[in-house]
Amino acid sequence: MGTDRDTTEDSVSDGAAGTRVPATGTPSTGTSSAAAPSGGASAGGAPSGEAPSAGGGESGSDRVARRDDAVRAAVEHGLLGPEAPIIALLDVPGIKASVAELRAAFDAVTAPRTAVLHAFAVKATPLVPVLRLLHEHGIGAEVASPGELALARAAGVPPSETVLDSPAKTIAELREALALGIAVNVDNPQELDRVDGLVGDLPDRPNDGPAGSPHPRSPIGIRVNPQVGGGSIEALSTATATSKFGVALRDEGAREWIVQAYTDRPWLTRLHAHTGSQGIPLSLMARGIAETYALAEEINRRVGRRQIDTLDIGGGLPVNFGSDVTTPTYAQYARLLAEAVPGLFDGRYGLVTEFGRSLLAKHGTVVARVEYAKSAGGRPVAVTHAGVQIATRTVYAPGSWPLRIAAYDTKGRPKAGPDVVQDIAGPACFAGDLLAEGRALPLLEQGDYAAALDTGAYYFAHHYAYNSLARPGVYGFASVEGGNGNGGGDVRFAVVREPQGVEEIVAESGGARPTALTAL
């Protein structure tokens, strides 16, 4: 990886200009579809590349064409090859299209002049250039750790467009957020006690709050768990009876405690809930938001004023991993919410959303070279450089997190040929390191490339250092129409994150202190 970096550095931009490579526009073939996770959004039988349903915006075929051009261009340009056997690609036009679809979907159902903040869940793709791109297109940041807050600040996201969520905030984290004016969603009664102790030490927010009482600049609310149930992936179901998040709304005495907390604290002005993400049906998400809205109405009625002025409805829109079709769409979800909770959009409440996976997943691709092609028990096995280090959830829980695999030839072109049932294996030294098992796609041979699709969120930006495998380089790409004069376009790349070198691995593993233990 370090050698290849030297050969490509001059022609791959670190900024917006990028580098241009002629594109072919060749349509994709040889994509293996994984079944959609149980309980999540299904493809509805639509073929790969088919346009999404009404309100879905950009078609899947647009993304496929850009992806194919980018893979071929990456090979031609030397970003991908024998000395650079794995890279991650981010489709910048696709990300912009998803942002536009999100904003348009909520604008269509929200009363004019309603304050709406779409805050990207930084945990989904914690890369500073991604956060900066989203910020420049009107998206804020939802953070859940000091590291995520630091990333958001490095990307230029202002405190007024940042929301802090976490079930384990320290006093130092709370103090910093309140000093900066960042919105805080309090998770539990003990955390609220901490906030009580900090609010009195902060300057009042100008012209806001009852005279003579502390009123922080930060919007502050309480996270509640509506306890409406879980979906098909237990680990991502955050509104179960025993979820670790928020104040459990149906537990004995909890509702009264929440009402009293707002009655005693005029500076509590928000209410937050998040039902879950992948594997959660839209109807259950809507139920959780309806419960939260009803609680806000009750609190305002009982305190005798419109104290809660903003509802944070979380994110969690499921992603269809079964095909290139985007479903469900933001427009479908917004319309469902407008029907289920019409008062949410009538202008009396500001809104905050916290979408993550649904904004980025379909715009990321991990491409790995087939180092060896072998056979075991009569089944072909393609040994690649993408495995548990980039697709940890898929390797350890393939039933919940299957990935589609696309086959490309040695030149980065979509591979043709009859489908062959085969395994796509990763480089880690354990038998279960498989990106896909028993998949039918054109036979992958030595020097070909296997592409793991829909990996723009929770994959290559969440490195798992098994076997001290290096983090792949991440490159954004965009097509520029007409660049080569034959009806095709140019592919431009920009470095998002450099490939990790072995020197960095040694440094992160205590390389500067080799005798630290021998001296004890």
Side-chain angles (χ1 to χ4, degrees):
M1 299 291 279
T3 302
D4 184 70
R5 189 183 307 174
D6 295 336
T7 65
T8 62
E9 198 168 58
D10 291 340
S11 54
V12 180
S13 170
D14 287 315
T19 184
R20 298 187 177 189
V21 182
T24 62
T26 306
S28 179
T29 59
T31 301
S32 171
S33 293
S38 173
S42 68
S48 175
E50 182 178 306
S53 58
E58 182 184 57
S59 71
S61 59
D62 294 333
R63 290 195 302 271
V64 172
R66 288 197 301 267
R67 180 178 71 223
D68 289 349
D69 284 344
V71 173
R72 180 201 50 75
V75 173
E76 289 183 356
H77 200 60
L79 298 178
L80 184 63
E83 300 303 319
I86 179 172
I87 62 169
L89 298 172
L90 279 173
D91 178 359
V92 174
I95 296 171
K96 293 178 181 178
S98 284
V99 169
E101 290 160 19
L102 168 60
R103 297 183 65 181
F106 277 80
D107 286 348
V109 298
T110 304
R113 294 180 294 281
T114 299
V116 179
L117 171 65
H118 297 296
F120 176 67
V122 172
K123 58 183 171 288
T125 311
L127 296 169
V128 171
V130 169
L131 304 183
R132 181 57 176 258
L133 175 68
L134 294 174
H135 168 56
E136 292 191 355
H137 287 80
I139 304 296
E142 183 263 339
V143 302
S145 72
E148 289 184 359
L149 176 56
L151 295 178
R153 297 189 71 186
V157 182
S160 61
E161 297 174 21
T162 304
V163 180
L164 174 62
D165 291 318
S166 166
K169 306 180 195 72
T170 66
I171 292 176
E173 290 174 60
L174 290 168
R175 182 181 291 112
E176 179 184 23
L178 295 173
L180 290 171
I182 290 170
V184 175
N185 289 319
V186 173
D187 182 81
N188 56 71
Q190 292 178 358
E191 185 177 317
L192 186 58
D193 289 342
R194 286 183 170 181
V195 173
D196 283 338
L198 294 170
V199 164
D201 297 331
L202 296 168
D204 290 356
R205 185 166 59 189
N207 303 318
D208 204 350
S213 68
H215 202 110
R217 292 177 296 164
S218 294
I220 303 175
I222 294 176
R223 177 172 184 167
V224 298
N225 170 12
Q227 294 176 293
V228 293
S232 63
I233 303 177
E234 183 179 357
L236 299 187
S237 299
T238 57
T240 61
T242 57
S243 170
K244 73 176 186 178
F245 292 103
V247 179
L249 189 54
R250 298 183 184 182
D251 281 14
E252 184 178 357
R255 198 177 192 96
E256 283 302 314
W257 179 86
I258 292 169
V259 173
Q260 192 61 49
Y262 280 85
T263 302
D264 295 341
R265 299 167 179 83
W267 43 265
L268 282 176
T269 59
R270 291 189 173 187
L271 192 63
H272 173 240
H274 177 59
T275 301
S277 52
Q278 197 68 19
I280 304 293
L282 298 191
S283 58
L284 191 65
M285 294 171 63
R287 278 184 56 199
I289 293 169
E291 293 275 355
T292 308
Y293 170 81
L295 176 61
E297 293 280 271
E298 178 184 345
I299 291 170
N300 284 348
R301 182 175 64 254
R302 290 178 61 177
V303 301
R305 58 183 178 274
R306 197 173 70 87
Q307 180 170 320
I308 296 178
D309 58 24
T310 301
L311 295 177
D312 185 334
I313 63 173
L317 194 68
V319 170
N320 164 33
F321 287 98
S323 81
D324 285 304
V325 178
T326 299
T327 179
T329 65
Y330 290 120
Q332 291 167 338
Y333 182 48
R335 286 196 297 267
L336 172 64
L337 290 181
E339 294 169 2
V341 199
L344 187 67
F345 300 104
D346 65 11
R348 291 179 299 122
Y349 291 100
L351 292 175
V352 178
T353 72
E354 300 172 355
F355 295 104
R357 178 181 291 106
S358 57
L359 273 171
L360 265 292
K362 286 203 164 291
H363 309 305
T365 305
V366 173
V367 191
R369 190 172 189 268
V370 178
E371 196 66 42
Y372 300 108
K374 54 193 290 187
S375 178
R379 178 181 291 179
V381 179
V383 181
T384 79
H385 290 270
V388 71
Q389 85 276 28
I390 56 100
T392 312
R393 284 174 169 173
T394 293
V395 169
Y396 286 127
S400 296
W401 299 102
L403 286 175
R404 292 182 298 134
I405 305 296
Y408 292 88
D409 66 16
T410 58
K411 295 184 178 180
R413 300 170 302 192
K415 189 161 189 178
D419 283 350
V420 176
V421 175
Q422 58 196 294
D423 293 349
I424 294 84
C429 289
F430 70 99
D433 186 26
L434 299 170
L435 274 186
E437 187 173 6
R439 285 294 171 78
L441 67 161
L443 183 64
L444 286 165
E445 301 170 284
Q446 188 176 37
D448 286 344
Y449 297 95
L453 310 181
D454 304 330
T455 49
Y458 295 102
Y459 281 92
F460 51 75
H462 297 71
H463 190 70
Y464 176 39
Y466 200 104
N467 283 144
S468 295
L469 291 163
R471 290 188 296 269
V474 181
Y475 302 86
F477 70 86
S479 300
V480 180
E481 292 301 321
N484 60 9
N486 63 5
D490 288 347
V491 178
R492 301 196 304 170
F493 292 96
V495 178
V496 175
R497 184 185 67 195
E498 291 279 1
Q500 187 181 33
V502 292
E503 301 85 358
E504 295 173 73
I505 295 174
V506 172
E508 290 180 359
S509 301
R513 300 174 178 83
T515 62
L517 300 181
T518 60
L520 291 179

